[in-house]
Amino acid sequence: EVQLVESGGGSVQAGGSLRLSCTASGLTFDDYAMGWYRQRAESECERVSSISSEGVTYYGDSVKGRFTISKDNVRNSLYLQMDSLKPDDTGVYCCAAVPSNTYYSGPSCCVEPVPFGFWGQGTQVTVSS
């Protein structure tokens, strides 16, 4: 059984930092594109950042220069370092393992099941002004 478990969410003031972690079991990181997605209020699912099996990274425009994705293949763990957080970063964040060279695009993620790849249960990030 594949499981992805996130940790590290919480509440922080604007300008602060949080580090999200995701530990996966039942799958091999190299077989998937790993990513962080978020669901903000009244917004569609957004791919925040992802990293391919080859280590190629992607960042959404709104987080470039502020967020850093990394992974540890030995520990089957994925991380997202979030710095200079803004109130607009508030949302539910989740990690996902999707087929290599793909990513998810859809109206909803993190708060309800997604019929594509494997997903964690989500962790709330709240940034206050």
Side-chain angles (χ1 to χ4, degrees):
E1 179 187 8
V2 175
Q3 281 193 321
L4 282 71
V5 180
E6 301 101 340
S7 61
S11 297
V12 66
Q13 289 193 323
S17 298
L18 286 172
R19 186 178 191 236
L20 304 183
S21 299
C22 171
T23 300
S25 59
L27 59 76
T28 302
F29 261 29
D30 278 350
D31 292 340
Y32 295 89
M34 302 299 300
W36 289 97
Y37 293 74
R38 68 184 177 189
Q39 185 84 54
R40 295 182 289 178
E42 300 179 1
S43 297
E44 292 199 340
C45 176
E46 177 185 5
R47 180 172 55 141
V48 175
S49 181
S50 62
I51 185 166
S52 72
S53 57
E54 296 84 10
V56 178
T57 58
Y58 162 89
Y59 294 96
D61 287 341
S62 62
V63 307
K64 280 179 183 176
R66 301 188 297 121
F67 291 10
T68 304
I69 192 170
S70 61
K71 65 176 180 175
D72 184 332
N73 286 346
V74 173
R75 293 181 170 82
N76 256 21
S77 292
L78 182 73
Y79 308 99
L80 186 68
Q81 177 67 39
M82 304 187 295
D83 298 320
S84 302
L85 283 161
K86 305 175 181 179
D88 199 41
D89 294 317
T90 295
V92 179
Y93 287 68
C94 58
C95 67
V98 299
S100 292
N101 300 314
T102 70
Y103 64 92
Y104 174 73
S105 178
S108 181
C109 59
C110 304
V111 295
E112 60 185 53
V114 175
F116 182 71
F118 302 100
W119 296 75
Q121 81 284 358
T123 185
Q124 177 70 41
V125 171
T126 302
V127 185
S128 59
S129 57

